[in-house]
Amino acid sequence: MILAAIIFPGMAWLLPAVAIVAAAIAALAWSYRRGAAAGIRAACALLKLTAVAALAFCLLEPLLSRQRAKPGANFLTVVVDNSQGLQIHDAGAARSRGEMLRDALDPAAAPWLGTLGTHFQLRRYAFDARLQEVRAFSALDFSGRASAIATSLRSLADRYKDRPLAGILLFTDGNATDVAGGLPDLEGLPPVYPVVVGKADALRDVALERVTVAQSAFEDAPVTAQVDVAAHGLGTEPLLVRVADASGTTVAEQGIAARPDGSPANLRFHWKPAKPGISFFGVGAGTASEMRGTIPATNTTEATLANNRRVVVVDRGRGPHRILYVAGRPNWEFKFLNRAAQGDDQLEVVGLIR
């Protein structure tokens, strides 16, 4: 695409201009054929010839022609990622990626947005699982549970089909949740200018990858929880995994050393809930120093604390559990079954004799 070109409206003066330059060359060669040193004569002749050539060039009336968009004729979209991934803290950073991004998009601190608004029809969008237009980026809370980059770009292409969309300015950490591998299909899209938020350094993080609970319907049987915990960037630093009830009282905890390769470690917990019915328990993981309160949570060195806690539900039911015995006459086995059940508070035998 040609952005600029030089045109010559005075092409009718081309031959006279060439003739003037040729006459100047002949005159200079005749006048400087003898006299001072050869080097001085050549330099003086070259300077005069340059001046004559410049005057001859001006006869052609050269003009520089450039293409420039009419202010406000085209659209420009500013698209910002509003997913939970922007809550991550880079190594050594006191503020999250989202907080720094929100400041960068503040009109008071970022006059470049106003400058773009004088040249384009500026449209602001935020996306997580879906794309939505926003009035200002100050309302971003970075709480979205997905980062649909490819879907949002395709949605913009559909919205601005057959409309003059000059480009898409995309602010994101690059962790798309709707792209299996490789780049998304960008056919039909205007130029996309990605601005990647965050550093490429390794992050320190502890994560609960999976928590599963196995339980029995009987109240006196213990609850078993399988917990997979992984750590990244912590070497072999000690970790602590804790199970607490709704009041915050610890019911079980285990310590383990982080694995340098980041593979998850499997832990098993057993505890007996204090009351029947439905109970909620929190499973938390982190470095041993932070979990024991040696380091305040506000001074955490982890990238994010959003993946350090899970809540599990335990339904113990309410006993006793009844057993219905139906028979045509009272048998000896009913007597023995009834006597055996009397020794268990969770069982009650009811007989129906017909």
Side-chain angles (χ1 to χ4, degrees):
M1 181 173 61
I2 300 176
L3 298 180
I6 298 177
I7 60 177
F8 298 93
M11 288 300 293
W13 290 90
L14 179 59
L15 292 180
V18 173
I20 290 173
V21 173
I25 293 174
L28 290 172
W30 172 262
S31 60
Y32 284 100
R33 68 184 186 277
R34 65 172 66 91
I40 296 176
R41 285 182 292 161
C44 293
L46 183 59
L47 291 174
K48 291 183 178 181
L49 181 60
T50 302
V52 172
L55 291 173
F57 185 72
C58 291
L59 291 175
L60 303 179
E61 301 178 7
L63 296 176
L64 178 63
S65 175
R66 294 186 301 175
Q67 292 183 354
R68 183 178 180 182
K70 180 182 178 181
N74 299 314
F75 292 93
L76 181 69
T77 58
V78 181
V79 186
V80 181
D81 194 341
N82 193 39
S83 65
Q84 293 181 5
L86 275 298
Q87 297 181 13
I88 289 177
H89 289 69
D90 287 314
R95 308 175 68 202
S96 69
R97 294 176 175 178
E99 291 172 336
M100 292 186 286
L101 176 58
R102 190 188 294 116
D103 289 347
L105 296 172
D106 184 4
W112 58 271
L113 276 174
T115 304
L116 287 177
T118 61
H119 297 284
F120 300 95
Q121 295 188 45
L122 205 59
R123 297 293 184 268
R124 297 171 176 84
Y125 293 91
F127 72 93
D128 37 50
R130 62 186 182 89
L131 182 72
Q132 57 184 345
E133 189 170 2
V134 295
R135 291 182 176 273
F137 294 121
S138 57
L140 296 176
D141 56 3
F142 307 106
S143 60
R145 302 184 65 86
S147 182
I149 296 179
T151 304
S152 299
L153 291 177
R154 296 308 316 169
S155 178
L156 282 174
D158 295 338
R159 292 189 186 191
Y160 288 91
K161 186 177 181 180
D162 299 328
R163 302 175 70 185
L165 180 59
I168 301 173
L169 192 57
L170 176 65
F171 290 85
T172 178
D173 60 355
N175 295 318
T177 58
D178 60 343
V179 178
L183 292 174
D185 182 17
L186 302 179
E187 184 179 356
L189 282 172
V192 179
Y193 305 97
V195 180
V196 180
V197 182
K199 301 178 181 178
D201 301 338
L203 300 175
R204 291 169 53 89
D205 188 51
V206 179
L208 289 173
E209 295 196 347
R210 187 179 62 171
V211 178
T212 57
V213 175
Q215 57 187 353
S216 170
F218 297 99
E219 297 178 10
D220 56 352
V223 175
T224 301
Q226 297 275 0
V227 179
D228 291 345
V229 57
H232 302 276
L234 297 176
T236 58
E237 191 171 336
L239 307 178
L240 187 66
V241 183
R242 178 181 297 156
V243 180
D245 59 17
S247 64
T249 303
T250 300
V251 297
E253 68 177 24
Q254 292 185 40
I256 192 174
R259 296 181 178 179
D261 59 355
S263 59
N266 181 266
L267 302 177
R268 178 175 294 183
F269 293 88
H270 302 278
W271 76 93
K272 183 178 178 180
K275 61 180 182 179
I278 297 177
S279 301
F280 296 90
F281 293 87
V283 182
T287 61
S289 56
E290 294 182 5
M291 292 292 290
R292 293 194 173 100
T294 306
I295 299 177
T298 55
N299 296 334
T300 180
T301 59
E302 289 192 49
T304 180
L305 298 178
N307 54 4
N308 288 47
R309 182 174 171 81
R310 298 278 187 91
V311 176
V312 296
V313 181
V314 176
D315 186 2
R316 303 293 291 171
R318 294 186 181 273
H321 300 278
R322 294 186 173 185
I323 300 175
L324 177 62
Y325 182 88
V326 181
R329 59 185 177 86
N331 296 320
W332 288 105
E333 60 266 22
F334 173 72
K335 174 182 178 181
F336 291 116
L337 179 62
N338 190 30
R339 183 175 298 174
Q342 289 177 355
D344 193 333
D345 295 336
Q346 301 298 316
L347 296 178
E348 180 181 332
V349 177
V350 178
L352 177 60
I353 307 300
R354 299 184 61 183

